[in-house]
C-alpha cells in the first residue's frame, strides 16, 4: 500500500508539473490574444470535463494500443492524466486572468522592462494564486483518479487501483491509516493557506489605515 501511494504521488507530481505549465500558457494565450481557432481550443478544453471518464480512458487506451513503441505503464498513466489535467488548469487560471489589467504590462514596458522581465515581475506574481490553485486541483484529481488510470496502467499499481484490488477480498486496516494521513495533510495545507491569507489581508488593512492617518496629518 505504501509503495502504491508513493507511485501515485510520483505520477501526480510529474503530471501536475507538466499540465500546470501547459495549462497556464494556454490560459494566458487565450486571454491575451485573439486569433483564429481560439473558439475550437475553448471547445477542446471543455470536452475532457464533460466526457465520461470511462469514454476518455478507453479512448486513450485504444490510442496507446495503436502505438507499438509505447508500453502501458508509468508513461501512459502520466500522459493520460495530463490530458484531463490541462483542461482544469487552463480554465482555473483563465478565471484568474479574466480580471487582469493588461495596462500594467504596458506601464512596465514603458519604464524600460523587457517582455520577459515584465512577465516575471508583473504578470506572473499577479496570476500566481490562480496557478497554485489550479496545480493543487490537478494534483488532487490525479491522486484520486481510478477509471482513466485503470485503462492505461498496465502492470503499475497506483493507490486507488491497489485499494480496489484489495477491497474485492477485504479492506485492509492500513488503508484507513493512509487515508487519514492524506486527509490530515490536506487539512493542514488548507489551514496554512487560509491563515496566511488572513495575515496578508490584516497587514494590508493595517497599511491602509496607516496611509489614511498620514493623509489626514
Amino acid at each position: 500500500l505504501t509503495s502504491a501511494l508513493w507511485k501515485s504521488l510520483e505520477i501526480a507530481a510529474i503530471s501536475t508539473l507538466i499540465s500546470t505549465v501547459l495549462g497556464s500558457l494556454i490560459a494566458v494565450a487565450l486571454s491575451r490574444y485573439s486569433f483564429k481557432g481560439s473558439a475550437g481550443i475553448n471547445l477542446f478544453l471543455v470536452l475532457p470535463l464533460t466526457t465520461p471518464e470511462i469514454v476518455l480512458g478507453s479512448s486513450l487506451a485504444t490510442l496507446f494500443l495503436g502505438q507499438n513503441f509505447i508500453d502501458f505503464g508509468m508513461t501512459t498513466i502520466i500522459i493520460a492524466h495530463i490530458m484531463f489535467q490541462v483542461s482544469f488548469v487552463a480554465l482555473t487560471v483563465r478565471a484568474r486572468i479574466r480580471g487582469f489589467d493588461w495596462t500594467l504590462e504596458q506601464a512596465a514596458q514603458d519604464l524600460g522592462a523587457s517582455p520577459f522581465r515584465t512577465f516575471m515581475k508583473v504578470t506572473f506574481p499577479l496570476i500566481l494564486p490562480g496557478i497554485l490553485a489550479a496545480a493543487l486541483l490537478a494534483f488532487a484529481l490525479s491522486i484520486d483518479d481510478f477509471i482513466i488510470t485503470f485503462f492505461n496502467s498496465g502492470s503499475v499499481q497506483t493507490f486507488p487501483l491497489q485499494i480496489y484490488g484489495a477491497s474485492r477480498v477485504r479492506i485492509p486496516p492500513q488503508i484507513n491509516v493512509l487515508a487519514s494521513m492524506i486527509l490530515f495533510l490536506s487539512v493542514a495545507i488548507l489551514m496554512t493557506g487560509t491563515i496566511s491569507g488572513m495575515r496578508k489581508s490584516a497587514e494590508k488593512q493595517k497599511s491602509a489605515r496607516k496611509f489614511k492617518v498620514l493623509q489626514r496629518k
Side-chain angles (χ1 to χ4, degrees):
L1 285 171
T2 304
S3 176
L5 178 60
W6 281 113
K7 187 70 66 176
S8 290
L9 291 174
E10 181 182 356
I11 293 171
I14 297 174
S15 61
T16 298
L17 178 62
I18 298 174
S19 62
T20 300
V21 174
L22 295 177
S24 299
L25 293 176
I26 293 173
V28 172
L30 291 176
S31 301
R32 185 171 183 177
Y33 303 105
S34 178
F35 53 90
K36 292 182 179 179
S38 58
I41 295 177
N42 288 323
L43 177 62
F44 282 119
L45 287 177
V46 176
L47 277 178
L49 308 182
T50 57
T51 303
E53 288 189 351
I54 191 170
V55 175
L56 184 59
S58 59
S59 299
L60 288 170
T62 304
L63 173 65
F64 294 139
L65 284 173
Q67 308 297 326
N68 296 326
F69 59 91
I70 299 180
D71 295 327
F72 283 91
M74 284 281 292
T75 303
T76 54
I77 295 176
I78 291 173
I79 294 174
H81 283 204
I82 292 172
M83 288 295 294
F84 68 84
Q85 283 178 310
V86 166
S87 297
F88 285 96
V89 172
L91 294 178
T92 303
V93 176
R94 192 177 181 186
R96 173 71 180 184
I97 299 177
R98 188 164 296 167
F100 186 80
D101 187 4
W102 297 105
T103 58
L104 296 174
E105 289 188 343
Q106 298 174 4
Q109 293 179 4
D110 288 341
L111 294 173
S114 62
F116 178 76
R117 185 176 178 84
T118 300
F119 178 81
M120 295 303 298
K121 295 294 184 179
V122 178
T123 309
F124 183 70
L126 292 175
I127 66 175
L128 182 58
I131 295 176
L132 292 177
L136 289 174
L137 175 62
F139 188 83
L141 290 171
S142 177
I143 292 180
D144 183 63
D145 183 75
F146 169 77
I147 298 177
I148 297 177
T149 306
F150 180 78
F151 278 96
N152 302 278
S153 60
S155 60
V156 176
Q157 287 291 315
T158 62
F159 192 60
L161 294 179
Q162 186 73 27
I163 293 176
Y164 172 74
S167 64
R168 289 185 294 179
V169 181
R170 68 181 184 88
I171 299 178
Q174 293 88 344
I175 291 179
N176 298 325
V177 177
L178 293 174
S180 299
M181 291 172 58
I182 296 174
L183 175 62
F184 292 144
L185 179 61
S186 302
V187 172
I189 295 174
L190 178 62
M191 292 297 294
T192 302
T194 303
I195 294 173
S196 177
M198 292 174 62
R199 287 181 177 177
K200 289 182 180 179
S201 179
E203 290 177 358
K204 288 181 180 180
Q205 292 178 0
K206 187 177 180 180
S207 300
R209 286 195 295 267
K210 287 183 178 179
F211 183 73
K212 288 182 180 179
V213 170
L214 292 174
Q215 279 185 327
R216 292 174 184 174
K217 292 182 178 180

